[in-house]
C-alpha cells in the first residue's frame, strides 16, 4: 500500500487485504481501477449464484450472459472493450455460456433485458442471464453530502442483480417486445420529452392508457438516502411527471395526481448505485404479483445520462411492459389500429337539450335501430359522471354539450351539403386548437384530416375557407406539405388555381375537409344543420364532432342544445366509426408525420411573423448557450420551467432535463453555486 500503490482493504481500521495494480504504467490497470472492477465482478458473481439457486436452472443450460454494470474492463489499448459477462460467468460456473457487456449508464439494465428478451424470442438462445455488479464509486456520490451535513454515511452497501430470461412457458410473465419506449436522438432532453418518449408513446402505439399499467418502475432510489443528499424523492418525482403528462393529455385531473402516485407508484428502496435502481429492482416482485393475480401489467423504465461521458449532451432511456401470460391472446402489433369487433357503448349526457329528455330518448332509439349501443348519463353533474365512465371503460365514447376542452383541442363537425348530400368535415366547430389564429387554422387542418380518415375517408382533400388568416395558413400548409406531410389541397370551384374556398365551395362540397376558425365553423354548422327547419331545430348531420388534439385520447362528441334526435343519433354513429377505425392510432400517426415534417417550427414561425398575436407578455429569452454539465436536483417537476426562467433572467444559461435522480436543471460548472443561490432565494430548492 505504501510503496507499490496498492489499494488497501480495511476492517475496523485494520489492513486485512490489498488489491495490487496489474501493470506498471497503464492507469487503466491501476490498483484503484482493479479494485472497482473486482468489486463489480464479485457482486455480479454473487447475484448469478443466487439466481441459479432460486430458479433451479442448471448452470450448463444458460447459453448467454449479458453484463450491464457501469464499470469498464480493459487496458490502455482498449479501455472499455473487455468482457465482465464471461469473467463473472466463469467464476459462477456457467461453463456453457458465452456473452458480452452492454453499457448505457443507468439505462444499461433496461437495454440489456430488451436485448435478452429479443434473443430468446428469436430462438437464438433458450436461456439468457442478465447481470450487473455494484459500483464502489457511487458509494461516495451521496456519502459526501451526508458527511457535509454532519450525518453518518447512510449508504454503505454494494448492490448487484441478475435476471433469467427464458422461452415462454405459458405461465411466467411476458416481456412485451412490441410495447417499447425509446428515447431517440431527436426526442429532446426536457423531462416532458423524456417521459413522453418512454411512457406515453409506447402506450399510445399499443392502444393503452396510463391506468392500464398497474405499476410503473422508474429509478427506485431509496429517498432516505437521496433526500438528505439534496436529490429529493426520486421515484416520487418520476411518478409526478408521469401523472402531470396524464393531466396534460386529459387522462387525469390535476387533483388526481397524488392518488395516481399512490395507486401506480412505489416508495423507493434500492441502493442508489446508478444502474442498480433503474427499474430492475422490481423485476422479482413484479413476477410474484403478476403470478398471484394482484396486477396485470407493469412498466420497467430505464433512464440514463449520456452527457456524463462528455461525448454528447443527449439523455438516454428505454422502457418495456411486462404482463400476465395469456397464451390465447395474440399481441397487437405496434401501430396497428385497434379495429375491435366488440360492441362500442356511447354515453349521452345531454340534459341541457332545449327539446327535453324525450328528444334524447328518441335519439337513442334511432341509434339502436342502426345497431349502435348507447346509455343515458344523468345526474347532478353529468359531465363528471361521464368522464368517470370514460376513464373506467364503462363507455367507449360520449356525446354531450358545451364541453370545456383544454386549449390545444378542437372539434371537427360533419354535415351533408344541402344540394348534393356530400358529407364535409368542418375543422373546427368549437374549442381552441391554438391561441394564435393562423396556428389554429394549421392545427385544425391536421385535426380535420384525422377525423375524416378515422371516419373512413382514405385520402381527404383539404380546402381553406376565405377568412382572416387564410393566406398565411395556406402558405404554412404548403410548406408543411413540401416538407413531407402528405395531403391533398382541393381547388375552389370558382378558380382553378385557388386553394382558398368560397361560400359556393361549402355548398358544393369542393373539399372533404373545410378549414376554418371555430366561431365560423360553429356558425356554418348551425346554418347547414338547421336550414331545412327554419333555424329552430338542427335536424341534419352528425353534430359538432369529436375533440381532437395532440395526445388527447378521450372521445367526446359535441352537439348543441338545439340538436334534434337525428343529429344526436348521427353523433353516436360518427363516434362508432371513429372507434371502429382506431381514431387514436390515426391521430398519433398523423401528428407524428406532421411533427416530422416540421409542424412545430412552422407554427413558431407563424407566431413570430407578427401577422397574428395572442397579446401575451413576451417570454424570458435564453442567454447565449454554453456547455452545461452541472446538475441541480430537488426541484418540483411542475416548477422546472419556471426555475430555468429565473436563471435566464439573471443571465445564466440553463436547461431542464431528466437526470439519474429525476428532474434537474443543468448549468455551466462555473456558475453552479450562483445558480443554486438564485434558485434557493426564489424558493425552488432548500
Amino acid at each position: 500500500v505504501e510503496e507499490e500503490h496498492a489499494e488497501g482493504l480495511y476492517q475496523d481500521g485494520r489492513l486485512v487485504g490489498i488489491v495490487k495494480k496489474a501493470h506498471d504504467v497503464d492507469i487503466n490497470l491501476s490498483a484503484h481501477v482493479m479494485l472497482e472492477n473486482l468489486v463489480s465482478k464479485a457482486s455480479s458473481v454473487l447475484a448469478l449464484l443466487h439466481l441459479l439457486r432460486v430458479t433451479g436452472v442448471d448452470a450448463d443450460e444458460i447459453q448467454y450472459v449479458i453484463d450491464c454494470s457501469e464499470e469498464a474492463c480493459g487496458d490502455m489499448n482498449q479501455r472499455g472493450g473487455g468482457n465482465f459477462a464471461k469473467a463473472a460467468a466463469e467464476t459462477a460456473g456457467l461453463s456453457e455460456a458465452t456473452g458480452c457487456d452492454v453499457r448505457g449508464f443507468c439505462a444499461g439494465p433496461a437495454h440489456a433485458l430488451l436485448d435478452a428478451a429479443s434473443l430468446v424470442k428469436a430462438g437464438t438462445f433458450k436461456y439468457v442471464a442478465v447481470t450487473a455488479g455494484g459500483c464502489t464509486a457511487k458509494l461516495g456520490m451521496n456519502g459526501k453530502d451526508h458527511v457535509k451535513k454532519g450525518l453518518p454515511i447512510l449508504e454503505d452497501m454494494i448492490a448487484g442483480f441478475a435476471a433469467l430470461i427464458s422461452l415462454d412457458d405459458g405461465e411466467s410473465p411476458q416481456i412485451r417486445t412490441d410495447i417499447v419506449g425509446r428515447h431517440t436522438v431527436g426526442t429532446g432532453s426536457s423531462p416532458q420529452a423524456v417521459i413522453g418518449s418512454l411512457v406515453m408513446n409506447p402506450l399510445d402505439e399499443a392502444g393503452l392508457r396510463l391506468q392500464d399499467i398497474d405499476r410503473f418502475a422508474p429509478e427506485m432510489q431509496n429517498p432516505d438516502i437521496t433526500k438528505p443528499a439534496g436529490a429529493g424523492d426520486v421515484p416520487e418525482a418520476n411518478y409526478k411527471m408521469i401523472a402531470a403528462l396524464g393531466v396534460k393529455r386529459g387522462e387525469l385531473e390535476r387533483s388526481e395526481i397524488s392518488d395516481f402516485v399512490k395507486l401506480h407508484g412505489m416508495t423507493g428502496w434500492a441502493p442508489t448505485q446508478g444502474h442498480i435502481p433503474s427499474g430492475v429492482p422490481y423485476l422479482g416482485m413484479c413476477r410474484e404479483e403478476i403470478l398471484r393475480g394482484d396486477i396485470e401489467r407493469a412498466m420497467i423504465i430505464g433512464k440514463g445520462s449520456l452527457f456524463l461521458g462528455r461525448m454528447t449532451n443527449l439523455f438516454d432511456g428505454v422502457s418495456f411492459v411486462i404482463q400476465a401470460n395469456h397464451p390465447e391472446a395474440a399481441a397487437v402489433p405496434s401501430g396497428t389500429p385497434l379495429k375491435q369487433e366488440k360492441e362500442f357503448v356511447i354515453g349521452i349526457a345531454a340534459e341541457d337539450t332545449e327539446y327535453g329528455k324525450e328528444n334524447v330518448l328518441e335519439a337513442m332509439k334511432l341509434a339502436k335501430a342502426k345497431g349502435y349501443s348507447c346509455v343515458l348519463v344523468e345526474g347532478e353533474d353529468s359531465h363528471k359522471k361521464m368522464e368517470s365512465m370514460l376513464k373506467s371503460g364503462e363507455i367507449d365514447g360520449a356525446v354531450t354539450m358545451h364541453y370545456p376542452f383544454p386549449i390545444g383541442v378542437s372539434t371537427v363537425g360533419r354535415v351533408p351539403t344541402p344540394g348534393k348530400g356530400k358529407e364535409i368535415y368542418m375543422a373546427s366547430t368549437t374549442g381552441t386548437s391554438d391561441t394564435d389564429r393562423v396556428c389554429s387554422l394549421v392545427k385544425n387542418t391536421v385535426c380535420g384530416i384525422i377525423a375524416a380518415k378515422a371516419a373512413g375517408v382514405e385520402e381527404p382533400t383539404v380546402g381553406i375557407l376565405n377568412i382572416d388568416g387564410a393566406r398565411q395558413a395556406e402558405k404554412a400548409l404548403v410548406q408543411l406539405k413540401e416538407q413531407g406531410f402528405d395531403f391533398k389541397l382541393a381547388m375552389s370551384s370558382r378558380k382553378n388555381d385557388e386553394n382558398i374556398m368560397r361560400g359556393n365551395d361549402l355548398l358544393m362540397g369542393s373539399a372533404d375537409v373545410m378549414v376554418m376558425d371555430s366561431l365560423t365553423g360553429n356558425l356554418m354548422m348551425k346554418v347547414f344543420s338547421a336550414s331545412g327547419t327554419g333555424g329552430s331545430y338542427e335536424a341534419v348531420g352528425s353534430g359538432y364532432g369529436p375533440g381532437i388534439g395532440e395526445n388527447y385520447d378521450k372521445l367526446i362528441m359535441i352537439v348543441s342544445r338545439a340538436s334534434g334526435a337525428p343529429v344526436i343519433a348521427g353523433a353516436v354513429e360518427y363516434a362508432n366509426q371513429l372507434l371502429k377505425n382506431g381514431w387514436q392510432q390515426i391521430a398519433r400517426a398523423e401528428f407524428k408525420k406532421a411533427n416530422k415534417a416540421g409542424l412545430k417550427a412552422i407554427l413558431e414561425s407563424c407566431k413570430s411573423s407578427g401577422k397574428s398575436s395572442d397579446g401575451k407578455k413576451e417570454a424570458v429569452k435564453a442567454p447565449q448557450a454554453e456547455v452545461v454539465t452541472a446538475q441541480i436536483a430537488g426541484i418540483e417537476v411542475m416548477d422546472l420551467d419556471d426555475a430555468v426562467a429565473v436563471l435566464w433572467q439573471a443571465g445564466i444559461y440553463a436547461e431542464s432535463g431528466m437526470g439519474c435522480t429525476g428532474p434537474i436543471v443543468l448549468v455551466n460548472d462555473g456558475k453552479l453555486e450562483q445558480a443554486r443561490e438564485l434558485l434557493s432565494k426564489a424558493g425552488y430548492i432548500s
Side-chain angles (χ1 to χ4, degrees):
V1 172
E2 294 176 3
E3 299 175 9
E4 299 297 329
H5 305 290
E7 287 290 337
L9 305 176
Y10 298 88
Q11 183 171 337
D12 298 327
R14 185 169 65 89
L15 183 69
V16 295
I18 59 167
V19 175
K20 299 165 78 172
K21 61 185 178 183
H23 194 276
D24 286 342
V25 296
D26 189 344
I27 59 171
N28 301 287
L29 296 172
S30 66
H32 178 81
V33 174
M34 295 307 296
L35 172 60
E36 288 189 349
N37 286 355
L38 283 169
V39 168
S40 184
K41 174 186 172 182
S43 44
S44 175
V45 168
L46 286 171
L48 284 170
L49 292 172
H50 179 68
L51 183 72
L52 293 173
R53 182 176 65 82
V54 298
T55 62
V57 172
D58 188 273
D60 289 343
E61 288 193 84
I62 296 177
Q63 301 163 296
Y64 205 75
V65 178
I66 302 176
D67 179 278
C68 51
S69 64
E70 288 192 322
E71 304 298 354
C73 183
D75 59 23
M76 69 175 76
N77 297 309
Q78 59 277 313
R79 263 193 295 200
N83 195 321
F84 274 102
K86 287 190 79 170
E90 177 191 26
T91 306
L94 310 182
S95 59
E96 295 299 313
T98 186
C100 70
D101 296 352
V102 167
R103 295 290 179 266
F105 284 105
C106 302
H111 282 290
L113 284 161
L114 272 179
D115 290 349
S118 299
L119 285 168
V120 170
K121 189 170 183 179
T124 309
F125 303 112
K126 183 180 178 181
Y127 288 109
V128 176
V130 177
T131 182
C135 179
T136 55
K138 291 290 177 70
L139 289 176
M141 188 171 69
N142 293 303
K144 62 182 180 182
D145 288 310
H146 295 157
V147 172
K148 195 184 296 183
K149 293 179 180 177
L151 297 168
I153 294 177
L154 299 174
E155 185 171 30
D156 59 356
M157 77 292 290
I158 290 291
F161 86 91
L164 186 66
I165 311 301
S166 69
L167 287 172
D168 190 355
D169 59 6
E171 179 183 356
S172 300
Q174 300 170 316
I175 293 177
R176 287 287 299 268
T177 54
D178 60 328
I179 308 180
V180 173
R182 300 173 300 120
H183 185 281
T184 64
V185 170
T187 293
S189 59
S190 71
Q192 294 92 333
V194 175
I195 295 297
S197 66
L198 297 181
V199 178
M200 305 304 183
N201 292 356
L203 294 184
D204 286 345
E205 290 177 4
L208 297 172
R209 302 178 303 168
L210 282 178
Q211 288 88 343
D212 293 325
I213 303 297
D214 300 296
R215 289 281 185 273
F216 291 91
E219 296 114 331
M220 300 309 304
Q221 286 101 328
N222 185 338
D224 290 342
I225 295 169
T226 56
K227 288 174 80 172
D233 188 326
V234 179
E236 184 181 55
N238 278 283
Y239 292 130
K240 282 184 177 179
M241 174 55 74
I242 294 171
L245 287 185
V247 171
K248 190 174 180 182
R249 289 156 54 94
E251 288 191 41
L252 297 170
E253 299 296 331
R254 182 177 285 269
S255 60
E256 295 177 309
I257 289 180
S258 295
D259 289 337
F260 178 87
V261 173
K262 291 176 184 175
L263 288 171
H264 299 273
M266 297 170 280
T267 301
W269 70 88
T272 66
Q273 291 167 42
H275 58 301
I276 293 295
S278 198
V280 295
Y282 180 56
L283 285 176
M285 285 168 276
C286 174
R287 181 179 185 276
E288 292 173 359
E289 289 175 9
I290 288 177
L291 288 175
R292 285 200 306 265
D294 296 340
I295 65 172
E296 172 73 16
R297 297 185 189 91
M299 177 176 274
I300 305 297
I301 304 167
K303 302 202 304 292
S305 306
L306 295 187
F307 64 84
L308 295 172
R310 302 300 193 266
M311 294 290 104
T312 176
N313 283 327
L314 293 176
F315 287 77
D316 186 34
V318 289
S319 65
F320 55 88
V321 167
I322 299 176
Q323 72 170 32
N325 198 323
H326 300 299
E328 70 283 357
V332 178
S334 178
T336 301
L338 299 180
K339 294 186 179 181
Q340 306 175 43
E341 296 301 321
K342 62 167 276 189
E343 181 181 59
F344 298 108
V345 179
I346 308 300
I348 302 178
E351 75 282 1
D352 291 334
T353 175
E354 293 177 1
Y355 300 102
K357 184 176 177 180
E358 294 75 18
N359 181 56
V360 179
L361 295 175
E362 178 62 23
M364 294 174 69
K365 189 185 296 183
L366 291 173
K368 188 175 181 181
K370 288 189 174 184
Y372 303 121
S373 177
C374 45
V375 295
L376 188 61
V377 181
E378 297 181 279
E380 192 172 320
D381 195 339
S382 60
H383 273 176
K384 189 168 285 187
K385 186 176 179 181
M386 174 190 80
E387 290 167 347
S388 176
M389 292 170 75
L390 280 169
K391 187 178 294 184
S392 68
E394 190 176 344
I395 58 176
D396 301 289
V399 175
T400 187
M401 302 172 184
H402 309 295
Y403 188 76
F405 290 110
I407 290 177
V409 177
S410 59
T411 59
V412 180
R414 185 173 71 180
V415 69
T417 56
K420 296 187 175 183
K422 177 188 173 181
E423 286 187 324
I424 58 173
Y425 294 80
M426 294 189 184
S428 65
T429 54
T430 186
T432 305
S433 59
D434 197 288
T435 54
D436 181 282
R437 182 175 181 79
V438 175
C439 291
S440 71
L441 293 177
V442 175
K443 286 185 179 179
N444 289 350
T445 304
V446 179
C447 295
I449 291 170
I450 289 166
K453 283 189 173 182
V457 183
E458 290 187 8
E459 294 184 359
T461 55
V462 174
I464 308 160
L465 197 63
N466 188 20
I467 57 175
D468 184 29
R471 293 294 178 184
Q472 297 99 309
E474 179 191 26
K475 184 179 177 182
L477 288 168
V478 168
Q479 183 183 352
L480 188 67
K481 180 177 171 65
E482 289 173 348
Q483 291 176 188
F485 184 64
D486 188 29
F487 68 97
K488 187 176 180 181
L489 281 165
M491 291 294 178
S492 169
S493 61
R494 296 287 301 278
K495 286 186 178 180
N496 292 331
D497 59 347
E498 280 280 354
N499 302 129
I500 303 300
M501 301 285 113
R502 275 38 178 195
N504 309 60
D505 294 302
L506 277 174
L507 293 169
M508 296 173 68
S510 299
D512 297 307
V513 176
M514 291 290 186
V515 178
M516 56 195 81
D517 64 89
S518 60
L519 288 175
T520 305
N522 196 279
L523 176 65
M524 290 296 102
M525 277 298 302
K526 292 183 188 304
V527 170
F528 274 62
S529 190
S531 60
T533 65
S536 63
Y537 182 85
E538 293 178 13
V540 178
S542 307
Y544 297 71
I548 296 177
E550 191 167 8
N551 298 322
Y552 190 77
D553 71 345
K554 287 191 290 192
L555 184 60
I556 297 177
M557 317 289 293
I558 298 297
V559 293
S560 86
R561 287 178 295 176
S563 292
V567 173
I568 297 174
V572 172
E573 181 175 19
Y574 191 3
N576 270 271
Q577 291 170 336
L578 298 176
L579 288 163
K580 181 183 176 183
N581 292 317
W583 75 278
Q584 290 179 331
Q585 286 79 11
I586 291 171
R588 285 188 286 272
E590 293 301 317
F591 273 115
K592 187 175 182 178
K593 285 188 284 188
N595 288 329
K596 191 175 182 180
L599 174 62
K600 287 182 170 56
I602 290 171
L603 294 175
E604 283 302 315
S605 177
C606 290
K607 288 180 180 178
S608 62
S609 67
K611 292 174 183 175
S612 60
S613 171
D614 58 11
K616 288 186 178 179
K617 186 179 176 182
E618 189 175 349
V620 179
K621 290 185 178 178
Q624 186 173 348
E626 55 187 348
V627 177
V628 288
T629 54
Q631 304 180 30
I632 301 174
I635 299 168
E636 275 291 326
V637 70
M638 306 295 280
D639 297 332
L640 208 56
D641 291 337
D642 292 336
V644 169
V646 166
L647 298 180
W648 284 2
Q649 206 159 17
I652 297 175
Y653 180 74
E655 296 176 3
S656 64
M658 181 64 77
C660 296
T661 56
I664 57 172
V665 169
L666 293 164
V667 297
N668 185 275
D669 283 333
K671 297 176 181 175
L672 177 60
E673 291 308 317
Q674 184 187 356
R676 281 187 181 279
E677 187 177 338
L678 285 166
L679 292 179
S680 179
K681 283 183 179 177
Y684 291 107
I685 59 174
S686 57

